[in-house]
Amino acid sequence: MRNSFTSMVDCDTALRLIAACAENVSVHSMRVPLADAVGRIAAEDVRAVLPRPEADISAMDGYAFDHAAMQAAPAGLPVAGQTAAGDLPMPLPSGQALGILTGARIPQGADCVMAKERMHLTEADCVMPAKVLAGKGANIRRAGEEFSKGEILITRGTRLDWRHTALLACQGFRDVAVVRPVRVAVVSNGAELAADASDARADSNSPMLAALLREAGAAVTQHSVPSDNEQTLMQTLADVWAEADVLVTTGGISVGQTDHVLDALSNLGAQTVFRGVTIRPGKPLTVMADGKRTAFCLPGNPGASAICALVFLLPYLRAVMGVTSPSVMVPGVVDFAFTPVVGTTHFIPVSCQPSEQGWCFSALPNVGASDIIVFSRASALLRVDPASPVEPGQARWVLPLQPNGI
């Protein structure tokens, strides 16, 4: 397979093929406490077990009374006491008012609430509007006005955050069903990674990929094969893939004599989904599959590896986990020109600066597929397709490097 760059696919075809692989995979669910649910994916629709509010309640601290009775009482209404949230008040005695605190249930017989500061308390301990009487039904939150019992609060595939924690807690849920994290094994390889190599190199790819994948919600294990021995590599790949849903390799997929990853996977029974993509950087990207298990074989150059993970691997993970929201894309205007190579889709790291017109995207200096530092200076990736050269002032969309946007 080393010299099989003769049938590369374009970027969109690669994405479609990857999406098709994800359709064959189903992941299990598990229940976790609310405190551990942030960042997890809801495994099922969550419906309200109670309406909110559960009953008619006061929207403010003040007095509850019968509107008609107040209209007919020029000297005001005597105060029968006070009720607070958590109380179950008795019916309001005819011709009286009741002190009420925010969130307290409206007593039977009351149909209006006015704020304490808008009421006047007479020497006879009666209350009346200080100025204008509020309308009937004022300042009452009606039962179920926010949502009703049985209404869907959280849809399957939602990535949970603090907002959903509030919803679940208000319904009395102590735990929630979430998608089990996808198990991903990241494997780096190459003799240059050996500590005793004469020209030893640090492995930056597997820690980078592991961090990126964990941020996306995967359960990641890291492995290294600091050797160019194909049998050693094949054994390691067989062992780790047996315990993982997804295999991610970095390096060893080009056309050199020490690039053994694709042959090793082929010997393990994996079939090629596609070999090579007409993108820059990241051309060697290869995806293979063995039944429902998928292997993403990423280039060894760190910049190319990061871009392939962001553009191709993360959408696969989101699809497998059932995430329903699309990738965040941010609009803005470019301030540079760029002409793509014929037949090639480019991914350009850009900085994003706010301007009066919105975001302004600027290309950053970089040394190509091996560049690492450019990603710490960039905020997003700009995709440039073969037929869409970039001109200053153009409106474009970019893919943020951070999951929540720029």
Side-chain angles (χ1 to χ4, degrees), residues 267-281:
N267 290 336
L268 291 173
Q271 302 296 313
T272 302
V273 176
F274 62 80
R275 167 63 170 141
V277 188
T278 55
I279 60 172
R280 185 177 293 188

Side-chain angles (χ1 to χ4, degrees), residues 133-182:
L133 175 61
K136 183 178 180 180
N139 306 312
I140 296 175
R141 291 191 59 203
R142 297 299 180 185
E145 69 176 20
E146 192 173 336
F147 52 79
S148 58
K149 181 179 179 179
E151 186 173 337
I152 294 177
L153 303 180
I154 300 171
T155 57
R156 178 180 179 272
T158 298
R159 187 178 295 277
L160 303 175
D161 59 33
W162 60 269
R163 300 168 298 168
H164 309 105
T165 300
L167 272 177
L168 293 164
C170 84
Q171 293 289 287
F173 291 113
R174 296 184 178 182
D175 55 31
V176 62
V178 298
V179 174
R180 178 181 62 77
V182 178

Side-chain angles (χ1 to χ4, degrees), residues 39-390:
R40 306 295 290 271
I41 308 302
E44 59 191 21
D45 291 346
V46 179
R47 295 181 180 271
V49 295
L50 298 168
R52 179 175 169 86
E54 294 180 44
D56 292 353
I57 61 173
S58 177
M60 58 185 58
D61 296 343
Y63 295 92
F65 50 85
D66 176 73
H67 188 267
M70 185 64 78
Q71 277 184 318
L77 299 175
V79 179
Q82 179 174 276
T83 185
D87 294 341
L88 287 175
M90 298 293 290
L92 182 66
S94 178
Q96 297 188 32
L98 184 68
I100 194 165
L101 301 183
T102 303
R105 289 179 179 243
I106 303 296
Q108 182 182 338
D111 59 8
C112 184
V113 172
M114 285 188 66
K116 184 176 182 179
E117 61 269 21
R118 295 182 182 275
M119 300 292 280
H120 173 64
L121 182 64
T122 71
E123 291 183 359
D125 289 331
C126 292
V127 289
M128 64 176 65
K131 292 183 180 180
V132 179
L133 175 61
K136 183 178 180 180
N139 306 312
I140 296 175
R141 291 191 59 203
R142 297 299 180 185
E145 69 176 20
E146 192 173 336
F147 52 79
S148 58
K149 181 179 179 179
E151 186 173 337
I152 294 177
L153 303 180
I154 300 171
T155 57
R156 178 180 179 272
T158 298
R159 187 178 295 277
L160 303 175
D161 59 33
W162 60 269
R163 300 168 298 168
H164 309 105
T165 300
L167 272 177
L168 293 164
C170 84
Q171 293 289 287
F173 291 113
R174 296 184 178 182
D175 55 31
V176 62
V178 298
V179 174
R180 178 181 62 77
V182 178
R183 301 169 302 170
V184 182
V186 177
V187 182
S188 59
N189 70 101
E192 70 276 13
L193 302 181
D196 59 354
S198 56
D199 187 21
R201 308 293 174 88
D203 175 14
S204 62
N205 283 11
S206 61
M208 171 188 70
L209 293 170
L212 180 63
L213 294 167
R214 288 189 182 108
E215 189 175 56
V220 184
T221 56
Q222 291 177 240
H223 311 269
S224 180
V225 183
S227 163
D228 290 331
N229 183 280
E230 183 174 354
Q231 290 301 316
T232 301
L233 175 63
M234 185 165 63
Q235 186 59 57
T236 298
L237 294 178
D239 292 343
V240 302
W241 206 7
E243 302 298 325
D245 303 306
V246 182
L247 176 66
V248 177
T249 68
T250 173
I253 61 169
S254 192
V255 296
Q257 293 301 308
T258 58
D259 292 326
H260 300 307
V261 169
L262 305 185
D263 288 336
L265 289 174
S266 181
N267 290 336
L268 291 173
Q271 302 296 313
T272 302
V273 176
F274 62 80
R275 167 63 170 141
V277 188
T278 55
I279 60 172
R280 185 177 293 188
K283 166 187 168 181
L285 171 67
T286 301
V287 172
M288 303 182 74
D290 181 9
K292 295 184 177 182
R293 300 185 304 166
T294 305
F296 285 78
C297 307
L298 309 185
N301 276 319
S305 186
I307 287 173
C308 288
L310 287 163
V311 175
F312 300 99
L313 177 52
L314 292 191
Y316 174 86
L317 285 182
R318 284 194 293 268
V320 167
M321 292 188 295
V323 178
T324 52
S325 58
S327 300
V328 175
M329 297 294 288
V330 176
V333 175
V334 295
D335 67 357
F336 63 96
F338 180 83
T339 301
V341 174
V342 175
T344 302
T345 295
H346 296 254
F347 291 93
I348 303 173
V350 296
S351 65
C352 306
Q353 299 297 325
S355 70
E356 293 181 356
Q357 291 75 40
W359 290 106
C360 177
F361 305 138
S362 303
L364 294 169
N366 74 84
V367 297
S370 63
D371 202 324
I372 294 178
I373 197 168
V374 68
F375 289 97
S376 67
R377 297 168 176 166
S379 302
L381 288 178
L382 172 65
R383 173 176 167 169
V384 183
D385 289 313
S388 301
V390 178

